[in-house]
Amino acid sequence: IFDEKVYLGHHDNGRPFLHNSAQEISISHTNRFVAIITHRDEYLGIDIESLSRNFSAVEKKVLSEDEIDDLSEKDENRNKQLAIIWCAKEAIYKRMSLMGVDFAEQIEIDKFTPHDEGTLDAVFTHKDGMEMEFELEYMVFEGHVMVWLVG
């Protein structure tokens, strides 16, 4: 990935950084894959999950009422949609690098129909009410979901 040897460290909140590079980095992994994203100038976040995981608990713990209303009624799409939403919220959380984020209250994913790849719109609301809008990209491959954002 890098032209020279780099040294990975972690901030107190767990966010990774490179000791000897100004590039931003985000990392995620499953049993089978590692996902790494870097950028010279922009904050970023990435998350990857296996679709073999049951994401039904995500609905109860980290979705807003609006997001629950937007879920697909079809079981085969529902787990994929929940996985994409979970990964999107995780990617935003990693990008924001803040402690004590309430995923259901502070991270809102706009309604979407899950495909094998696409984009998502989301809003992060700071505790003071300031909002930040994001566009995330996602892809589904080999039984996994990966979502990332830059900016």
Side-chain angles (χ1 to χ4, degrees), residues 3-129:
D3 293 332
E4 71 241 11
K5 190 172 189 175
V6 294
Y7 297 91
L8 185 67
H10 291 85
H11 294 286
D12 290 343
N13 63 4
R15 182 183 177 139
F17 68 93
L18 300 172
H19 284 282
N20 58 325
S21 175
Q23 286 198 59
E24 292 292 326
I25 187 168
S26 185
I27 304 169
S28 185
H29 66 88
T30 65
N31 286 340
R32 210 167 143 211
F33 294 103
V34 173
I36 300 172
I37 188 171
T38 65
H39 197 280
R40 183 184 346 209
D41 304 315
E42 300 283 346
Y43 291 117
L44 36 78
I46 194 166
D47 195 52
I48 187 170
E49 294 284 347
S50 171
L51 281 170
S52 65
R53 175 179 166 193
N54 181 346
F55 286 91
S56 60
V58 166
E59 181 176 345
K60 295 169 187 68
K61 292 184 178 180
V62 301
L63 268 61
S64 69
E65 289 183 25
D66 287 342
E67 289 169 328
I68 291 170
D69 289 344
D70 292 343
L71 288 173
S72 173
E73 294 299 322
K74 297 178 184 175
D75 286 341
E76 66 272 8
N77 281 343
R78 195 176 188 95
N79 199 61
K80 183 196 305 188
Q81 191 173 18
L82 287 168
I84 293 168
I85 292 169
W86 171 252
C87 286
K89 290 189 178 218
E90 275 287 313
I92 291 169
Y93 174 73
K94 290 176 178 183
R95 185 263 180 237
M96 297 306 299
S97 191
L98 297 170
M99 302 294 281
V101 172
D102 182 328
F103 279 42
E105 294 293 321
Q106 290 182 262
I107 305 173
E108 184 81 18
I109 309 299
D110 288 351
K111 184 176 183 176
F112 71 100
T113 302
H115 299 286
D116 287 341
E117 60 182 56
T119 60
L120 304 167
D121 293 319
V123 174
F124 179 87
T125 305
H126 288 271
K127 293 189 181 200
D128 66 3

